[in-house]
Amino acid sequence: MKWKEQILSLKAYQPGRTTDQVKKAYGLTDVVKLASNENPFGSSEKVKECIREYADSFAIYPDGYTTGLRTELASFLNVSEKQLIFGNGSDEIIMMLSRAMLEPGKNTVMPTPSFPQYRHNAVVEGAEVREVELVNGAHNLDKMADSIDENTAIVWLCSPNNPTGIHITDVQLRGFLDRVPEEVLVVLDEAYFEYVTADDYYNALEIIKEYKNVLVLRTFSKVYGLAAFRVGYGFADESLITQLEPVREPFNVNSLGQKAAAAGLSDQAFIDQCRTANKEGLEQFYAFCRENGLDYYPSEANFILIDFKCDSNELFEYLMSKGYIVRSGAALGIPGTVRVTVGSKEQNEGVMSAMKSFLAETVKR
């Protein structure tokens, strides 16, 4: 078979273990998943009501233009409908952008560690990958700007960054964008935007008005609690979206997902509640870290990266044996750490209790 040479060494995405798999492996009846940054409070009641009342034929293709959701979202964001593009999760839009702009001879600049799909898609397209190490969990924007040259097609920014949770401030972002050539696309991945409470966070809707080479990505998978439906979106200057649209697959957003996302969007009270609960949960983890002398990154997302200065995989396995699935830092490129999704108050207390037990057992060795 005549595979692209660059994909021969790539590995398929490896999802974390499911709760059923962990129950079976450890003989548990209750397992809490705090590994994938899903909303522990589920989704809005309006979404559930919408799905219960869904009566459209399953034999009919989805609305290929995502008309209903597009209209609602354009009104919510106060942008033109032609400034929006939708994907099967924001992952698909990352793939669209890579397919549209990356090829051999082009390069792309990104932070590391960050969301791995930036790199993965660039490799598939045969582009050169220029990774710039984080500094104290944050983007090294000066070095990223220095890495851009005449062959750079896309620069990826992740704010708040996954897996560290550190955000880019308004001053930092504008200073960076002023250094980026107009023909270079800057993708601003805001998967965790709705959780941000920092006063110095930028306004992406204002940014795209001032910088025509910026495209912003958001998703309904995180705070909206609709990860199972796979609905993501991007917004940018209309001319940019018009150029990208031909790459989009037809009927790429399923009918149920379109309805569910529109229903979720209509319940901002639920989003506000989740943001507040998440902030309270982060404070629980901060207190735990201070009490136990653990380093951590202050997060603007719905997860926290904690440095246990131990074998990440050992702690990962230990917590699973106690019924808590987290993400090993070894898999994220930051050995010694674990990334924990902020859960409900009770879930947070439970996983912290298991972490304390691990620390106590480690001291005895």
Side-chain angles (χ1 to χ4, degrees):
M1 296 294 178
K2 300 179 181 179
W3 302 106
K4 287 182 177 179
E5 184 179 348
Q6 61 265 28
I7 75 165
L8 297 178
S9 60
L10 280 180
K11 294 182 179 179
Y13 179 76
Q14 299 294 319
R17 296 194 203 180
T18 66
T19 54
D20 286 341
Q21 288 172 334
V22 173
K23 286 178 183 178
K24 183 177 181 180
Y26 293 95
L28 301 170
T29 55
D30 295 308
V31 170
V32 176
K33 185 183 177 190
L34 299 173
S36 300
N37 307 332
E38 296 145 330
N39 190 336
F41 306 106
S43 55
S44 164
E45 286 299 321
K46 290 186 178 182
V47 170
K48 297 173 186 176
E49 181 181 349
C50 168
I51 299 305
R52 283 193 296 266
E53 295 179 353
Y54 184 84
D56 293 356
S57 171
F58 295 128
I60 305 299
Y61 281 108
D63 175 357
Y65 193 59
T66 326
T67 307
L69 176 58
R70 181 182 298 273
T71 299
E72 295 293 331
L73 186 58
S75 176
F76 179 75
L77 296 175
N78 193 26
V79 299
S80 163
E81 293 183 11
K82 294 182 179 179
Q83 288 182 262
L84 295 169
I85 191 164
F86 293 87
N88 183 37
S90 54
D91 291 353
E92 189 193 21
I93 306 178
I94 292 170
M95 184 169 66
M96 289 182 211
L97 290 163
S98 300
R99 185 179 183 188
M101 302 189 73
L102 299 180
E103 60 186 344
K106 299 279 181 66
N107 70 68
T108 178
V109 178
M110 62 194 68
T112 186
S114 192
F115 189 51
Q117 291 305 298
Y118 312 145
R119 186 183 196 282
H120 184 92
N121 282 285
V123 171
V124 170
E125 300 302 332
E128 177 192 351
V129 176
R130 297 183 175 180
E131 295 180 299
V132 178
E133 291 282 343
L134 302 176
V135 176
N136 296 323
H139 290 56
N140 186 341
L141 293 173
D142 284 338
K143 190 170 182 181
M144 290 183 73
D146 291 339
S147 300
I148 298 170
D149 64 17
E150 67 276 6
N151 295 317
T152 303
I154 306 177
V155 178
W156 306 91
L157 304 178
C158 187
S159 178
N161 185 54
N162 179 11
T164 58
I166 303 294
H167 70 290
I168 299 171
T169 70
D170 182 70
V171 171
Q172 291 169 341
L173 179 60
R174 291 175 182 276
F176 173 76
L177 292 175
D178 286 340
R179 295 185 60 189
V180 178
E182 293 180 358
E183 69 273 13
V184 175
L185 175 66
V186 177
V187 179
L188 196 49
D189 188 346
E190 294 189 330
Y192 301 94
F193 160 76
E194 291 84 1
Y195 286 109
V196 175
T197 60
D199 292 334
D200 57 359
Y201 198 68
Y202 54 83
N203 182 335
L205 292 165
E206 292 300 321
I207 291 293
I208 65 165
K209 293 177 184 177
E210 299 174 39
Y211 300 90
K212 306 299 184 181
N213 60 331
V214 175
L215 187 147
V216 181
L217 296 179
R218 291 182 185 172
T219 181
F220 286 95
S221 295
K222 302 304 180 184
V223 76
Y224 285 92
L226 302 178
F229 290 103
R230 311 303 298 123
V231 183
Y233 65 96
F235 56 89
D237 186 75
E238 183 179 326
S239 62
L240 204 161
I241 297 298
T242 299
Q243 285 296 118
L244 182 60
E245 270 288 350
V247 184
R248 182 178 60 82
E249 292 289 332
F251 315 116
N252 63 324
V253 181
N254 70 86
S255 298
L256 277 170
Q258 293 184 35
K259 298 281 190 182
L265 190 67
S266 72
D267 192 355
Q268 289 301 305
F270 174 78
I271 303 304
D272 292 342
Q273 291 165 10
C274 292
R275 183 187 302 110
T276 298
N278 183 72
K279 191 68 175 178
E280 293 170 352
L282 283 170
E283 293 297 336
Q284 283 182 272
F285 280 105
Y286 296 161
F288 166 79
C289 290
R290 289 192 295 267
E291 290 168 7
N292 292 278
L294 299 171
D295 292 330
Y296 65 93
Y297 291 112
S299 177
E300 288 294 330
N302 69 332
F303 57 81
I304 181 170
L305 189 72
I306 304 174
D307 189 358
F308 282 83
K309 295 181 172 60
C310 69
D311 183 331
S312 295
N313 289 334
E314 181 185 359
L315 175 53
F316 167 69
E317 294 286 346
Y318 179 90
L319 293 176
M320 275 200 297
S321 74
K322 301 299 182 183
Y324 294 93
I325 310 174
V326 299
R327 194 83 159 92
S328 169
L332 300 171
I334 311 181
T337 68
V338 293
R339 190 193 68 193
V340 190
T341 302
V342 177
S344 67
K345 184 175 185 293
E346 294 72 25
Q347 290 171 341
N348 297 338
E349 289 173 348
V351 73
M352 287 188 289
S353 177
M355 289 173 174
K356 284 183 180 179
S357 296
F358 175 83
L359 291 171
E361 292 185 20
T362 302
V363 170
K364 293 178 183 177
R365 294 177 188 174

